[in-house]
Amino acid sequence: MYVILVYDIGEKRVAKMLKHCRKYLNWIQNSVFEGEITEAKLKEMLMGARAIMNEDQDSVILFKSRNERWLDKEIIGVERSSIDNFL
Amino acid sequence: MYVILVYDIGEKRVAKMLKHCRKYLNWIQNSVFEGEITEAKLKEMLMGARAIMNEDQDSVILFKSRNERWLDKEIIGVERSSIDNFL
């Protein structure tokens, strides 16, 4: 399945969350990730995310689509994923 | 059409961009919006966004779907849109 993940995480936890999410998805903007993922890997990722985040303060939103073709993506301005390759 | 908009905007411009996007879409997280919008309104919104942003530094990503039902949304942790109502 294709997912978009966006998070809003307290500063102290954000580096850890970034590293965690990049294991599973492509980083496309500051706090935004996308990619194809299996149901099993998604569960694993969310379990890890819950362990990192403070659920009273932080927020993770996940959009899931069975097919990437159902979504068009348009980027205006800087494309972060091109920067990502150098990190 | 249903859209998800995420931005990564320099601090100086972010308040203006937030105000602008909220005219057209629902604010669901720090820098994330979603909602139904017509093609005409979307064009208008993007024109306004381009006027606010610095295209060499800032980034706006737009995901478009013809139908909201093609996407499942899952929220983990704090739901910002409930806070939004009090602003």
Side-chain angles (χ1 to χ4, degrees):
Chain A
M1 113 188 71
Y2 170 78
V3 303
I4 300 164
L5 183 149
V6 289
Y7 60 56
D8 184 8
I9 302 282
E11 221 178 298
K12 285 180 192 166
R13 297 174 291 278
V14 75
K16 205 167 174 184
M17 187 63 114
L18 171 66
K19 198 176 160 191
H20 175 70
C21 292
R22 286 180 71 183
K23 276 192 237 162
Y24 299 87
L25 297 168
N26 306 313
W27 188 28
I28 56 168
Q29 203 192 65
N30 195 17
S31 55
V32 187
F33 301 78
E34 64 162 6
E36 277 293 328
I37 192 166
T38 63
E39 194 73 55
K41 279 282 166 193
L42 179 61
K43 266 193 190 161
E44 186 187 295
M45 183 188 73
L46 292 181
M47 218 165 65
R50 280 182 198 273
I52 294 165
M53 68 194 285
N54 175 337
E55 291 193 39
D56 296 329
Q57 289 176 29
D58 302 335
S59 162
V60 168
I61 304 178
L62 196 72
F63 297 94
K64 296 186 272 188
S65 176
R66 264 184 298 148
N67 200 322
E68 185 174 354
R69 283 180 309 158
W70 291 343
L71 277 178
D72 275 333
K73 186 171 64 174
E74 193 176 324
I75 297 173
I76 300 149
V78 184
E79 196 158 348
R80 301 276 155 176
S81 47
S82 55
I83 298 167
D84 191 26
N85 296 330
F86 297 101
L87 292 179
Chain B
M1 114 188 70
Y2 170 77
V3 303
I4 300 164
L5 183 148
V6 289
Y7 60 56
D8 184 8
I9 302 281
E11 220 178 300
K12 285 180 191 167
R13 297 173 291 280
V14 75
K16 205 167 175 184
M17 187 62 114
L18 171 65
K19 199 176 160 192
H20 174 70
C21 292
R22 287 181 71 184
K23 277 191 234 161
Y24 298 88
L25 297 168
N26 305 312
W27 188 30
I28 56 167
Q29 203 193 66
N30 195 18
S31 55
V32 187
F33 301 78
E34 64 162 4
E36 276 294 328
I37 193 165
T38 63
E39 194 72 55
K41 279 282 165 193
L42 179 61
K43 268 193 187 160
E44 187 186 294
M45 183 189 73
L46 291 181
M47 218 165 65
R50 279 182 198 274
I52 293 165
M53 68 194 285
N54 176 337
E55 292 194 37
D56 296 329
Q57 290 176 28
D58 302 335
S59 162
V60 168
I61 303 178
L62 197 72
F63 297 94
K64 297 186 270 187
S65 176
R66 266 184 297 148
N67 200 322
E68 185 174 353
R69 283 180 310 157
W70 291 342
L71 277 178
D72 275 334
K73 188 171 64 173
E74 193 177 323
I75 298 174
I76 300 149
V78 184
E79 196 158 349
R80 301 276 155 175
S81 49
S82 56
I83 298 166
D84 192 26
N85 296 329
F86 296 100
L87 292 179

